[in-house]
C-alpha cells in the first residue's frame, strides 16, 4: 500500500522569497507523484507530476518539484513566491505497477501563506 | 475545474434526509471518483467507477451510494446512515493509463443540521 506525508501543516513565506512545500512518500514499487493546489471553496487543480525521466519536473504557475528516490521525497518549489500562491497544496502518490484505480493516495495538505 | 461540474455548490439538509450530489464531466473520461474532504484530513475516497455500470467502494463508503448509468455522470447519495455527513465533497475523473492525474470539479459543501 502506498502513502504520502506532508510534514508541515502550514508554511509561511514572504513575497519574492523562494518557497518549498515538503512531501515524502512510501510505495512498494515505483511511484507516480503529483502535486495539486486548492483555492478556498474550490476543487483541486493539477500542478505537475513525476512519472519517469528527469528528476526535476516543471509545472503550472512557475512551480517545480524534485523527485529524490533515495530520500523518497517530492518537494514542491518555486523560486519567487507570489501572494496569489497562497492556497492549500496536496501531494499524491500512486504505485506505478498498480492496476487498481483506488490506489491514488493524497497527503493531508499544507497551507501556504505568502505575505506581502 | 474545467470539464467537471458539480451541483449544487452549497447544500443544506436536515438530519435523517437523504441527499444526492450531482457530478457531470464532458472530458470523455472512463473513470470517476468521489472524495470527502475534512479539515486537516486531506481527501478520502468514498467510491470510484472505472466504467459505466460498475463502481467500487473506497475507504469510507459506509452511508453513501452511487450509480454510473452514463459515462458522463456519477451522482453520489448521502444517506441518513452516514453519521457525520457535513463535509466538502469533491468529484474527479481521469483516463487511467494516460498519466493518471485526476481532474476535479469545484466541489459541493454539504451541511446537515
Amino acid at each position: 500500500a502506498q502513502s504520502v506525508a506532508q510534514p508541515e501543516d502550514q508554511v509561511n513565506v514572504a513575497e519574492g522569497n523562494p518557497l518549498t512545500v515538503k512531501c515524502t512518500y512510501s510505495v512498494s514499487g515505483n511511484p507516480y507523484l503529483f502535486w495539486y493546489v486548492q483555492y478556498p471553496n474550490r476543487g483541486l487543480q493539477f500542478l505537475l507530476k513525476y512519472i519517469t525521466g528527469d528528476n526535476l519536473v516543471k509545472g503550472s504557475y512557475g512551480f517545480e518539484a524534485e523527485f529524490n528516490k533515495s530520500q523518497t521525497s517530492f518537494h514542491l518549489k518555486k523560486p519567487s513566491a507570489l501572494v496569489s500562491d497562497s492556497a492549500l497544496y496536496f501531494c499524491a502518490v500512486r504505485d506505478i505497477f498498480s492496476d487498481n484505480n483506488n490506489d491514488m493516495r493524497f497527503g493531508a495538505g499544507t497551507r501556504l501563506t505568502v505575505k506581502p | 475545474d474545467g470539464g467537471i461540474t458539480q451541483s449544487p455548490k452549497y447544500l443544506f439538509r436536515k438530519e435523517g434526509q437523504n441527499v444526492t450530489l450531482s457530478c457531470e464531466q464532458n472530458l470523455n473520461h472512463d473513470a470517476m471518483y468521489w472524495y470527502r474532504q475534512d479539515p486537516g484530513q486531506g481527501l478520502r475516497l468514498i467510491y470510484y467507477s472505472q466504467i459505466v455500470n460498475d463502481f467500487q467502494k473506497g475507504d469510507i463508503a459506509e452511508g453513501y451510494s452511487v450509480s454510473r448509468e452514463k459515462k458522463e455522470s456519477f451522482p453520489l447519495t448521502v444517506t441518513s446512515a452516514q453519521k457525520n455527513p457535513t463535509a466538502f465533497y469533491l468529484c474527479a475523473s481521469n483516463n487511467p493509463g494516460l498519466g493518471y492525474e485526476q481532474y476535479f470539479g469545484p466541489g459541493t459543501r454539504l451541511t446537515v443540521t
Side-chain angles (χ1 to χ4, degrees):
Chain A
Q2 49 263 308
S3 63
V4 61
Q6 294 181 242
E8 301 159 315
D9 293 334
Q10 174 89 33
V11 171
N12 297 315
V13 298
E15 188 175 30
N17 283 0
L19 70 87
T20 299
V21 183
K22 296 179 180 178
C23 172
T24 59
Y25 67 89
S26 174
V27 295
S28 55
N30 292 321
Y32 287 154
L33 293 156
F34 307 84
W35 275 103
Y36 291 84
V37 60
Q38 184 181 34
Y39 297 99
N41 294 310
R42 301 290 298 278
L44 275 66
Q45 296 178 32
F46 170 70
L47 277 179
L48 51 81
K49 67 182 177 184
Y50 171 82
I51 302 296
T52 187
D54 194 345
N55 289 344
L56 185 63
V57 179
K58 295 187 183 296
S60 306
Y61 312 120
F63 284 95
E64 58 188 28
E66 186 167 12
F67 171 62
N68 187 318
K69 188 171 184 177
S70 64
Q71 297 186 5
T72 62
S73 68
F74 190 56
H75 301 332
L76 181 70
K77 300 180 180 182
K78 188 173 183 180
S80 179
L82 300 172
V83 172
S84 58
D85 292 330
S86 299
L88 190 57
Y89 290 81
F90 289 95
C91 182
V93 67
R94 190 180 187 284
D95 190 320
I96 193 171
F97 294 117
S98 175
D99 291 329
N100 187 349
N101 281 333
N102 184 21
D103 284 345
M104 178 80 81
R105 297 293 170 179
F106 289 82
T110 298
R111 184 163 301 281
L112 172 68
T113 301
V114 181
K115 298 182 178 179
Chain B
D1 302 337
I4 302 179
T5 58
Q6 291 185 243
S7 60
K9 189 171 180 65
Y10 298 96
L11 190 54
F12 298 89
R13 280 294 182 269
K14 295 291 187 183
E15 194 172 323
Q17 293 179 333
N18 292 354
V19 59
T20 297
L21 282 59
S22 169
C23 177
E24 303 278 332
Q25 54 101 358
N26 63 3
L27 300 170
N28 200 33
H29 285 167
D30 290 320
M32 298 187 73
Y33 311 81
W34 273 106
Y35 291 93
R36 171 182 171 136
Q37 184 179 14
D38 296 284
Q41 294 195 43
L43 275 66
R44 292 183 289 168
L45 183 65
I46 304 172
Y47 268 97
Y48 67 102
S49 169
Q50 299 189 65
I51 197 169
V52 174
N53 291 323
D54 182 68
F55 48 84
Q56 305 294 329
K57 293 181 178 180
D59 299 322
I60 57 165
E62 185 176 352
Y64 299 97
S65 65
V66 294
S67 63
R68 186 86 186 276
E69 297 178 0
K70 299 185 296 183
K71 186 175 184 177
E72 59 270 22
S73 179
F74 191 41
L76 173 75
T77 297
V78 184
T79 75
S80 57
Q82 168 51 232
K83 295 180 181 179
N84 186 19
T86 294
F88 191 52
Y89 291 88
L90 288 162
C91 180
S93 70
N94 72 349
N95 264 341
L98 295 179
Y100 293 101
E101 62 267 30
Q102 295 179 10
Y103 294 88
F104 285 80
T108 293
R109 187 166 296 281
L110 174 64
T111 302
V112 178
T113 57

